[in-house]
Amino acid sequence: MIELFYWPTPNGRKIPLFLEEAALAYKVTHVDIGKGDQFKPDFLAISPNNRMPAIVDHAPADGGAPLSVFESGAILQYLAEKTGKFLPADVRGRVECMQWLFWQMAGLGPMTGQYGHFHVYAPEPIAYAQERYAREVGRLLGVLDRRLAGREYICGNEYSIADMACWPWIDAYDKAPFDLTPFAEVRRWRAAIAARPATARAEAHRSMRADSGPMTDAQRRILFGQPSH
């Protein structure tokens, strides 16, 4: 059984996509990042970077003690290798999938996250930052759009962990919607994944988070004001 430490951010939403597609038994433990649950000692023992998602596999392949994994990309890779699903077995297919997984981790996620920070969460607007990250998100969406031309999914006709990693980051901020009009392939791909039954089951976890209105100063300090020690 997989224990998933979860909050419905784009990174958190990746992991239920895999678990539902692979029909793995799992339970969800909520990590309310607005209340500081990510800094509790029990969670830091699993995820020392105080970020979710994280998992604990209570039945690892080696038959040993429960195994914890943090970082969403590492979790997706671990689950794919554990199950033999959603990651090609051949060398070239695996490399293709892994490079797009890392593209999301290094580019699409961080840049879209900065777009969201300066358009939604920053206490005051900073035009340079808003424009800079909007341009970069647009550039990355263009990269993805070109990649998807002639392909059903990012790595061809098979759904993979690369798709699961990227999908939650597309137009991730309801309060700052990104214009996807120029990206027809992205829109087509996004809709196809949304229509998968496993996606609907995975996304149902988002309902546990009610919209509590504007971020409070206390929540802002918890999320963005942590010191280095």
Side-chain angles (χ1 to χ4, degrees):
M1 189 274 296
I2 303 293
E3 184 173 7
L4 168 62
F5 294 83
Y6 170 90
W7 197 246
T9 67
N11 282 333
R13 290 164 56 204
K14 297 173 186 177
I15 311 308
L17 292 174
F18 188 103
L19 295 169
E20 289 291 347
E21 290 281 357
L24 286 173
Y26 71 100
K27 73 171 185 176
V28 174
T29 296
H30 295 146
V31 181
D32 189 334
I33 60 176
K35 293 181 178 178
D37 289 351
Q38 68 272 36
F39 300 108
K40 293 180 177 179
D42 288 351
F43 182 68
L44 288 172
I46 297 166
S47 182
N49 195 38
N50 57 260
R51 296 289 187 271
M52 64 89 238
I55 65 168
V56 174
D57 184 354
H58 291 273
D62 65 2
L67 178 61
S68 62
V69 188
F70 70 99
E71 287 295 328
S72 60
I75 295 168
L76 288 173
Q77 181 180 354
Y78 173 81
L79 293 173
E81 292 174 347
K82 175 184 174 71
T83 61
K85 296 179 178 180
F86 305 110
L87 177 63
D90 65 288
V91 171
R92 294 177 186 273
R94 179 185 173 87
V95 168
E96 184 177 48
C97 184
M98 292 303 295
Q99 67 187 0
W100 284 99
L101 173 65
F102 278 83
W103 175 82
Q104 184 280 310
M105 297 295 296
L108 182 65
M111 294 299 102
T112 306
Q114 292 297 322
Y115 167 88
H117 180 82
F118 287 105
H119 283 80
V120 178
Y121 300 117
E124 59 186 38
I126 303 172
Y128 174 82
Q130 291 179 334
E131 293 166 6
R132 185 264 187 276
Y133 290 111
R135 284 195 304 270
E136 182 61 6
V137 170
R139 186 190 71 80
L140 291 163
L141 288 172
V143 171
L144 181 57
D145 203 66
R146 291 187 294 273
R147 173 65 186 179
L148 287 167
R151 297 179 175 88
E152 186 174 0
Y153 296 106
I154 292 174
C155 295
N157 292 324
E158 299 296 327
Y159 189 45
S160 75
I161 57 174
D163 301 287
M164 297 174 192
C166 292
W167 185 80
W169 281 105
I170 304 302
D171 197 20
Y173 297 94
D174 294 339
K175 295 178 181 178
F178 199 92
D179 183 10
L180 298 180
T181 303
F183 309 108
E185 295 291 343
V186 171
R187 288 187 280 110
R188 183 266 308 164
W189 163 86
R190 185 190 189 206
I193 295 175
R196 296 175 71 95
T199 301
R201 296 193 298 271
E203 289 287 273
H205 291 295
R206 298 180 71 186
S207 65
M208 46 71 60
R209 179 184 181 182
D211 185 356
S212 57
M215 182 177 291
T216 66
D217 289 342
Q219 289 173 323
R220 185 173 284 107
R221 286 193 297 271
I222 289 170
L223 291 171
F224 308 126
Q226 293 301 315
S228 61
H229 59 279

